[in-house]
Amino acid sequence: VVVDALRSAAARASEIQAGDGILALVSKGVRTDIRSVEQFNRVVGALELGQTVTLLVLRGETQTFVPLRTLER
């Protein structure tokens, strides 16, 4: 899954950049490899509000971990 654009202020404030490839999401110590946008949306939709997760992203030829906190209401 490749990040196309960052729409929300919270997304723009994160370390995620347009063009990053999202390879996996780590939540509560469990890694889920991301294979499609639909799967990513399903996994993110099941997260608790305010939960911290880590994304494994591919930026150019480098893999890096990016921590994120889900939005709170």
Side-chain angles (χ1 to χ4, degrees):
V1 173
V2 177
V3 176
D4 180 39
L6 303 173
R7 292 184 174 90
S8 72
R12 289 189 300 274
S14 74
E15 295 179 36
I16 297 295
Q17 299 176 7
D20 284 352
I22 299 175
L23 304 176
L25 183 145
V26 181
S27 173
K28 298 182 179 179
V30 177
R31 175 182 164 152
T32 302
D33 292 333
I34 301 298
R35 305 278 185 222
S36 69
V37 172
E38 294 80 12
Q39 178 200 22
F40 177 78
N41 289 338
R42 222 177 18 257
V43 170
V44 170
L47 296 173
E48 299 168 13
L49 295 177
Q51 182 178 342
T52 299
V53 297
T54 303
L55 296 180
L56 174 60
V57 301
L58 180 64
R59 184 172 295 149
E61 296 181 16
T62 304
Q63 291 185 15
T64 188
F65 288 98
V66 178
L68 294 175
R69 179 178 294 264
T70 60
L71 293 177
E72 296 183 30
R73 291 182 191 201

